[in-house]
């Protein structure tokens, strides 16, 4: 459908290259060691010092057929990391079906209470996480008077490490306390999703230095547009009419919001080129993470096991890179100087870990459609909360654009659920 590309592409080009002259970015030559591209490359170099030796070891074990010849104390560890277990038991399917059947057999009041609990848990966890994220990355610490500048925290990678170490602890305890499927995946396969996950999280934090939080939320909500374009160009996929309609509505809504923000004099409402490039990086890395995790689920693992495996490698990558750069102890020193930052960093990690558990529980009990609706509402509330707490000026046109985006997202959820319901009822109709 060529008209789709003609309507959506201009909005995408605007989203990628829209910038405001009134608030120019600092030159990369000023404080070049804090420039985002330099930090990104240094982080990637740190990860490579772990990835390359790991790759060589795995290649060596596979080439020498270690699984047949190996012995000793290290054999079980090497087998789990490189080869995994061939026994991919069906416990996960039994547990999932049992949980869903229990949910279906419960009373309507009990189900309503569960739904309220899930919705409240997700909203509180991720709304608090969003507010703290913006506070940590865009505001200074230690200022005693309004005229004093204070000190800003600059290392996004340390925040990623804080989030991952707590998520690792929570998921590890969950796996110990509750029965899980027998693990079959080679451990090294988690490293791919882990690397893209920490890169996407780093981009998410770093982008807030250049764009406003509402702009970031809207850009994340409009991921469907590049996904559809890529599917049309590369895979020659065909889409339903409602998919084209909602994609156009999303592009129109995002463009309205960005165009209206140019009239604002508030510096945090400016979308700079660096911020948009980092957001594109977030979308790319995040898309790879979800696709790789989908591929890993063929081993019939639970979501909490996935959470543990990914966060295990995330902690390994980030702590290695932080120690090599000397940034780990610098960040700890910042925490000791500013107790408020320490509290915010810990709360940020707690909200992230609890939010992941609420995600797994909600999807298990009510399915992906209900979860998507709750999280779409969360995004809308997050924008309003950010504007209220941090003074982001949104014009009437911008507010209307935000409303159009979320209306389109709800239409997508509704249309997709109707389509799935129609497909499930079709075989029954044929039998009759």
């Amino acid at each position: 459908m060529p008209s789709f590309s003609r309507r959506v592409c201009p909005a995408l080009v605007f989203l990628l290259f829209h910038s405001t002259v009134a608030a120019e970015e600092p030159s990369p030559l000023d404080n070049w060691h804090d420039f985002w591209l330099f930090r990104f490359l240094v982080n990637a170099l740190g990860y490579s010092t772990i990835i390359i030796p790991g790759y060589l070891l795995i290649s060596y074990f596979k080439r020498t057929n270690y699984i047949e010849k190996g012995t000793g104390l290290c054999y079980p560890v090497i087998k789990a990391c490189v080869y995994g277990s061939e026994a991919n038991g069906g416990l996960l399917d039994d547990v999932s079906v049992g949980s869903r059947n229990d949910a279906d057999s419960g009373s309507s009041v009990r189900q309503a209470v569960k739904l309220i609990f899930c919705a409240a848990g997700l909203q509180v966890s991720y709304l608090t996480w969003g507010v703290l994220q913006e506070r940590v990355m865009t505001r200074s610490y230690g200022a005693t008077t309004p005229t004093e500048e204070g000190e800003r925290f600059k290392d996004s990678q340390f925040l990623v490490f804080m989030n991952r170490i707590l998520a690792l602890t929570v998921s590890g305890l969950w796996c110990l306390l509750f029965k899980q499927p027998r693990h079959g995946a080679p451990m090294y396969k988690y490293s791919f999703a882990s690397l893209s996950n920490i890169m996407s999280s780093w981009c998410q934090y770093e982008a807030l230095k250049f764009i406003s939080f509402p702009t970031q939320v809207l850009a994340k909500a409009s991921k469907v547009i590049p996904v559809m374009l890529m599917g049309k160009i590369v895979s020659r996929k065909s889409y339903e009419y409602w998919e084209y309609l909602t994609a156009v509505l999303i592009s129109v809504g995002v463009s309205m919001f960005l165009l209206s923000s140019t009239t604002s004099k508030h510096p945090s409402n400016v979308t700079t080129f660096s911020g948009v490039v980092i957001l594109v990086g977030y979308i790319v890395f995040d898309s790879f993470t979800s696709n790789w995790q989908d591929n890993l689920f063929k081993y019939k693992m639970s979501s909490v096991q996935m959470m543990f495996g990914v966060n295990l490698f995330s902690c390994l990558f980030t702590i290695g890179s932080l120690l090599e750069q000397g940034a780990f102890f610098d960040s700890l020193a910042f925490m000791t100087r500013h107790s408020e930052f320490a509290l915010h960093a810990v709360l940020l990690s707690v909200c992230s870990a609890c939010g992941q558990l609420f995600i797994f529980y909600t999807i298990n009990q009510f399915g992906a459609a209900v979860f998507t609706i709750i999280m779409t509402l969360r995004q809308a509330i997050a924008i309003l909360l950010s504007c209220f707490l941090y003074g982001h000026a949104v014009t009437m046109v911008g507010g209307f654009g935000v409303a159009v985006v979320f209306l389109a997202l709800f239409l997508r959820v509704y249309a997709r659920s109707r389509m799935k319901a129609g497909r499930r009822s079709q075989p029954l109709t044929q039998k009759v």
Side-chain angles (χ1 to χ4, degrees):
M1 191 168 180
S3 58
F4 169 74
S5 299
R6 288 198 300 267
R7 283 176 288 184
V8 177
C9 284
L12 281 175
V13 171
F14 175 79
L15 176 62
L16 292 174
F17 297 103
H18 167 68
S19 61
T20 304
V21 179
E24 296 179 353
E25 301 177 62
S27 171
L29 298 177
D30 301 333
N31 298 326
W32 58 269
H33 55 280
D34 290 328
F35 183 52
W36 70 268
L37 184 57
F38 175 78
R39 301 307 313 165
F40 179 84
L41 294 175
V42 170
N43 291 346
L45 184 63
Y47 305 146
S48 67
T49 61
I50 300 173
I51 293 170
I52 294 175
Y55 170 77
L56 294 175
L57 281 174
I58 292 169
S59 300
Y60 169 77
F61 289 130
K62 288 187 173 182
R63 188 173 63 252
T64 57
N65 200 19
Y66 181 85
I67 193 171
E68 300 292 340
K69 304 175 183 178
T71 57
L73 295 175
C74 295
Y75 177 77
V77 177
I78 295 174
K79 181 185 176 185
C81 291
V82 180
Y83 299 97
S85 172
E86 295 180 358
N88 301 329
L91 175 62
L92 177 64
D93 296 333
D94 298 338
V95 172
S96 299
V97 172
S99 299
R100 189 62 59 86
N101 288 339
D102 291 343
D104 293 339
S105 61
S107 66
S108 57
V109 175
R110 184 180 177 185
Q111 285 298 96
V113 171
K114 275 188 180 181
L115 181 58
I116 293 172
F117 171 73
C118 291
L122 287 168
Q123 298 292 348
V124 171
S125 297
Y126 282 106
L127 287 175
T128 306
W129 177 80
V131 170
L132 289 173
Q133 182 189 35
E134 187 170 10
R135 168 67 181 87
V136 169
M137 297 307 299
T138 63
R139 300 295 189 271
S140 60
Y141 289 91
T144 55
T145 61
T147 56
E148 191 176 350
E149 288 189 5
E151 187 179 7
R152 287 200 176 191
F153 185 74
K154 299 178 180 179
D155 199 331
S156 301
Q157 186 177 211
F158 181 77
L159 294 176
V160 176
F161 168 74
M162 288 282 292
N163 290 349
R164 299 302 176 266
I165 191 67
L166 188 59
L168 176 68
T169 305
V170 171
S171 58
L173 290 174
W174 189 281
C175 289
L176 290 174
L177 295 175
F178 301 97
K179 193 174 183 180
Q180 300 294 320
R182 183 176 178 181
H183 191 268
M187 289 298 295
Y188 82 89
K189 289 196 173 183
Y190 290 107
S191 63
F192 297 92
S194 173
L195 182 62
S196 59
N197 179 255
I198 57 179
M199 289 292 198
S200 66
S201 298
W202 183 88
C203 289
Q204 192 173 7
Y205 283 113
E206 199 72 13
L208 286 176
K209 296 178 181 179
F210 304 95
I211 63 173
S212 69
F213 184 79
T215 303
Q216 185 193 72
V217 173
L218 277 186
K220 288 160 63 177
S222 61
K223 283 193 295 185
V224 62
I225 300 174
V227 169
M228 287 184 67
L229 282 176
M230 194 61 66
K232 192 74 175 175
I233 296 170
V234 177
S235 305
R236 303 296 180 184
K237 288 184 178 179
S238 59
Y239 297 97
E240 300 291 335
Y241 73 91
W242 55 266
E243 293 180 286
Y244 289 111
L245 174 62
T246 53
V248 171
L249 286 175
I250 289 172
S251 65
V252 169
V254 171
S255 299
M256 290 174 65
F257 178 82
L258 293 177
L259 283 169
S260 67
S261 68
T262 60
T263 59
S264 172
K265 296 181 179 179
H266 198 286
S268 64
N269 273 24
V270 174
T271 303
T272 64
F273 179 73
S274 286
V276 173
V277 171
I278 297 172
L279 267 185
V280 171
Y282 161 78
I283 292 173
V284 171
F285 289 125
D286 189 62
S287 300
F288 177 85
T289 301
S290 58
N291 281 283
W292 189 267
Q293 286 178 327
D294 287 341
N295 184 53
L296 277 178
F297 274 118
K298 69 183 180 182
Y299 290 99
K300 296 184 182 295
M301 67 184 69
S302 70
S303 297
V304 180
Q305 285 175 321
M306 174 73 75
M307 179 179 172
F308 179 83
V310 171
N311 284 299
L312 176 65
F313 280 94
S314 295
C315 290
L316 179 64
F317 288 144
T318 51
I319 190 62
S321 180
L322 286 167
L323 288 173
E324 289 170 4
Q325 299 175 36
F328 180 75
F329 296 105
D330 290 342
S331 298
L332 289 181
F334 190 93
M335 292 181 75
T336 58
R337 291 196 301 272
H338 306 289
S339 58
E340 186 183 9
F341 167 77
L343 176 63
H344 289 166
V346 171
L347 286 177
L348 197 67
S349 303
V350 170
C351 291
S352 178
C354 292
Q356 289 186 56
L357 293 178
F358 273 111
I359 287 174
F360 301 144
Y361 183 74
T362 304
I363 293 176
N364 181 274
Q365 293 293 317
F366 300 101
V370 173
F371 166 73
T372 304
I373 292 173
I374 294 173
M375 293 305 283
T376 303
L377 279 173
R378 190 271 303 180
Q379 289 176 318
I381 298 172
I383 290 178
L384 296 176
L385 195 60
S386 176
C387 293
F388 175 75
L389 292 177
Y390 298 108
H392 300 300
V394 178
T395 64
M396 185 175 294
V397 174
F400 184 73
V402 173
V404 169
V405 170
F406 286 103
L407 173 64
L409 293 175
F410 280 118
L411 285 175
R412 288 184 70 86
V413 175
Y414 174 75
R416 188 176 286 114
S417 62
R418 287 293 299 269
M419 179 176 290
K420 288 182 178 179
R423 287 173 180 172
R424 283 196 298 266
S425 62
Q426 188 174 0
L428 297 176
T429 305
Q430 291 175 347
K431 286 181 182 180
V432 173

